[in-house]
Amino acid sequence: MDHGRVNAMATAAMVVLIILIIGQSELARATTYTVGDASGWTFNVTEKWPREGDRFKAGDTFVFSYSFGAHNVVVVKRATDYQSCTAPSDAKVYSSGNDKIELVKGENFFICSFPDHCQKFGVKIAVNATN
């Protein structure tokens, strides 16, 4: 039996195991949040969600739950578009009623682009995601 080869194989197996453990711990740190909690993505969501003290990380997933056709979710990149409730023509739009969106590091802005939903009825949120 070649002990050098056995040691090399054991070392390789240990490295693979460590990589798998690290990968799993990264996944375990990501959290899924339902925007608006039980009320979902609905009118005046900005008044009740996120809750004070909520902290989000890049890689966390937001689930936007609403009745199909009642709203949509538009990912806007600029604070000015968020504040003015403007959906740029190149913005990603979700409309399934059960939209899952992964947060990116930094500011994340979401609005509903249905007429008056964002501006008058508060169907929008902005959150900051850290590492």
Side-chain angles (χ1 to χ4, degrees):
M1 176 177 265
D2 181 2
H3 291 290
R5 185 169 185 218
V6 170
N7 285 341
M9 289 175 58
T11 301
M14 190 64 112
V15 168
V16 169
L17 182 60
I18 290 170
I19 290 170
L20 289 173
I21 290 170
I22 291 171
Q24 289 299 318
S25 68
E26 288 296 316
L27 290 175
R29 288 193 294 194
T31 304
T32 299
Y33 297 90
T34 299
V35 173
D37 296 322
S39 299
W41 182 237
T42 190
F43 296 132
N44 300 313
V45 70
T46 57
E47 293 176 8
K48 19 185 189 188
W49 205 90
R51 297 168 307 268
E52 188 174 331
D54 280 349
R55 302 282 181 253
F56 306 107
K57 299 178 300 301
D60 285 349
T61 299
F62 275 10
V63 177
F64 293 83
S65 182
Y66 54 94
S67 296
F68 177 79
H71 300 288
N72 66 11
V73 181
V74 181
V75 179
V76 294
K77 305 261 187 224
R78 298 183 320 203
T80 54
D81 290 333
Y82 172 79
Q83 292 160 353
S84 67
C85 293
T86 301
S89 61
D90 63 343
K92 176 72 176 154
V93 179
Y94 296 83
S95 59
S96 74
N98 189 40
D99 309 316
K100 296 174 177 72
I101 304 172
E102 189 173 301
L103 298 180
V104 298
K105 182 181 178 191
E107 291 294 324
N108 291 259
F109 302 105
F110 307 98
I111 66 171
C112 176
S113 67
F114 282 27
D116 295 328
H117 284 204
C118 178
Q119 195 74 10
K120 289 186 180 177
F121 301 114
V123 187
K124 66 180 188 173
I125 61 165
V127 299
N128 186 45
T130 61
N131 272 349

